[in-house]
Amino acid sequence: MEFDIAVLRGDGIGPEIVDGAVEVLEAVGNKFGHTFRFHPYLMGGAAIDATGEPLPQKTLEGCRKAQCVLLGAVGGPKWDGMPAELRPERALLDIRSALGLFTNLRPARLYPALADESPLRRDIVAGGFDIMIVRELTGGIYFGDRGYRQGKYGEEAYDTECYSPVEIERIIRAAFETAMKRRKKVTSVDKANVLETSRLWRRTAGKVAEEYPEVELNHMFVDNAAMQLIRDPAQFDVIVTSNMFGDILSDEASQISGSIGLLPSASMGVGTIGMYEPIHGSAPDIAGTGKANPLATILSAAMMLRYSLKLPEEAEAIERAVDAALSDGLRTADIARNGETPLSTKEMTKGVVERL
Ligand code: NAD
């Protein structure tokens, strides 16, 4: 079969890790007899430098024509001083919004081979954990009204969080559907003791839950969730939460898995186009050094095969190859222990391709 994939390499380590994922996809194509056509477009700082805009129209049109989008990461100190509307990160919000990608799936699991890399005590992670964070992606405080105004102490900055029942309902439903294919447990995370949007979130979650009697729903305040994730991560199956809480909790979940360089994500929504990217940023501190871990992006490519291209066997082949690479002791610098010689981005990619 033939597939068209828009590729947005972005900034910092983005090009290095995306090249790794493309190499793995090409190997999968050879193994299973598929042709993946990769269509590169500019996004983020690279797009600002070339066109003056973080998300050029040509990029958006290219993504709309493709079946799915593979993204590296955007941003870096070079563009940090730019006005908010012209920063590379603006492109992330705009593309999610333009493609209607309201559901962000962020799996966080402990690879048995990396149990010693988790900062959690061995007895806490002994049984492993396998969590799916379902983060709302196109609403909430990242998209609300913002600006400066006169307040009690003179000029003040403000951001607002807005959620409608429609937006909450569809993400909660995505979480329940995900849970039905897993261990049938949803934890809805909010701050309903303080925030009105959270109270609406909690009520709506309760209503949607009535349609899924087989799934257990519990509610948790976000501060408690942050604590429970490090106290007993195995208690969670699916966590569903708002844009900002999901952003923060999924970074925490990544660290207890061993490294942020391991966590993939899938963004889906109203249309048929999905976008796949690692949860980490452009890591300017290690860009160009060959130290970046490509596994989060390679695993994002596996999610792309599963969810957008309906190739579950091929997705599993990648996931098994990554498992095997880690079990065989292959380590990039972020997961190498004292005394271990870390592999470069290219060497780790080669290790995965060989195991395919
Ligand atoms: P970051 O995720 O880029 O880096 C945090 C730390 O993790 C750094 O020490 C980095 O070296 C390390 N790291 C990240 N990915 C790694 C990998 N694959 N392998 C090994 N180590 C890895 O977060 P940050 O430093 O807060 O942000 C850097 C830039 O990225 C900023 O401009 C930020 O706005 C942007 N950003 C972009 C995205 C995105 O494109 N989706 C997400 C988050 C941050």
Side-chain angles (χ1 to χ4, degrees):
M1 284 160 77
E2 300 189 354
F3 302 96
D4 288 290
I5 302 169
V7 176
L8 313 175
R9 295 161 86 232
D11 310 313
I13 61 169
E16 305 161 44
I17 52 176
V18 169
D19 288 352
V22 165
E23 207 179 311
V24 170
L25 284 168
E26 277 171 342
V28 169
N30 289 337
K31 185 177 158 80
F32 290 87
H34 303 305
T35 303
F36 298 112
R37 282 187 293 264
F38 299 102
H39 305 278
Y41 297 100
L42 292 173
M43 178 175 169
I48 294 172
D49 288 353
T51 70
E53 296 172 81
L55 183 65
Q57 196 56 30
K58 193 177 163 199
T59 298
L60 203 48
E61 279 164 20
C63 293
R64 287 203 170 108
K65 273 193 243 150
Q67 283 160 279
C68 48
V69 182
L70 181 65
L71 167 66
V74 297
K78 182 176 173 192
W79 306 280
D80 276 351
M82 313 218 29
E85 294 310 302
L86 284 177
R87 283 184 59 132
E89 294 83 353
R90 184 72 226 172
L92 288 171
L93 301 182
D94 287 347
I95 196 167
R96 289 167 186 166
S97 189
L99 298 178
L101 306 173
F102 64 84
T103 304
N104 187 211
L105 299 181
R106 296 184 158 200
R109 57 178 275 232
L110 186 76
Y111 288 88
L114 290 182
D116 287 336
E117 263 59 60
S118 172
L120 298 186
R121 277 199 328 261
R122 191 76 205 227
D123 61 305
I124 295 177
V125 294
F129 58 82
D130 178 2
I131 306 168
M132 181 65 89
I133 298 183
V134 180
R135 168 189 171 198
E136 200 290 325
L137 204 58
T138 53
I141 197 162
Y142 291 0
F143 287 89
D145 188 25
R146 75 192 60 193
Y148 286 84
R149 64 186 172 199
Q150 283 305 310
K152 198 168 157 195
Y153 300 102
E155 192 187 44
E156 63 184 17
Y158 69 95
D159 298 274
T160 42
E161 169 148 300
C162 295
Y163 269 120
S164 62
V166 172
E167 288 169 292
I168 301 172
E169 209 179 299
R170 65 188 184 183
I171 191 71
I172 299 282
R173 191 161 279 121
F176 274 89
E177 289 294 328
T178 306
M180 286 295 284
K181 296 182 203 125
R182 294 172 48 100
R183 300 191 304 281
K184 299 195 171 62
K185 185 174 172 195
V186 171
T187 304
S188 172
V189 172
D190 61 38
K191 188 70 184 164
N193 48 348
V194 180
L195 302 176
E196 204 52 51
T197 41
S198 281
R199 286 192 270 272
L200 177 64
W201 185 280
R202 197 172 269 224
R203 278 198 305 275
T204 310
K207 270 192 217 148
V208 174
E210 289 167 15
E211 297 167 32
Y212 297 87
E214 287 167 65
V215 180
E216 176 194 339
L217 167 70
N218 68 318
H219 301 281
M220 200 177 270
F221 294 136
V222 63
D223 35 358
N224 186 22
M227 194 172 77
Q228 294 298 331
L229 264 176
I230 51 169
R231 201 187 68 81
D232 176 20
Q235 71 181 282
F236 296 108
D237 176 19
V238 173
I239 293 177
V240 60
T241 190
S242 63
N243 205 339
M244 181 164 69
F245 294 161
D247 191 3
I248 298 167
L249 291 180
S250 58
D251 268 29
E252 186 186 358
S254 77
Q255 265 317 302
I256 60 171
S257 310
S259 167
I260 197 166
L262 290 169
L263 262 75
S265 82
S267 305
M268 288 165 295
V270 284
T272 53
I273 303 167
M275 189 164 84
Y276 301 85
E277 56 179 311
I279 75 155
H280 59 71
S282 58
D285 52 333
I286 55 166
T289 63
K291 285 188 189 160
N293 185 342
L295 294 181
T297 318
I298 290 172
L299 291 166
S300 302
M303 292 185 89
M304 180 175 88
L305 296 182
R306 175 172 295 116
Y307 293 113
S308 277
L309 305 184
K310 312 292 177 213
L311 300 173
E313 209 185 311
E314 290 79 344
E316 263 169 43
I318 295 184
E319 287 159 356
R320 273 200 310 272
V322 168
D323 272 351
L326 292 172
S327 304
D328 291 346
L330 270 54
R331 300 283 186 272
T332 41
D334 55 317
I335 46 176
R337 290 212 265 151
N338 287 344
E340 284 177 338
T341 313
L343 299 181
S344 69
T345 313
K346 284 197 170 126
E347 288 164 336
M348 179 58 109
T349 303
K350 188 165 170 263
V352 174
V353 168
E354 279 166 2
R355 283 158 184 80
L356 261 170

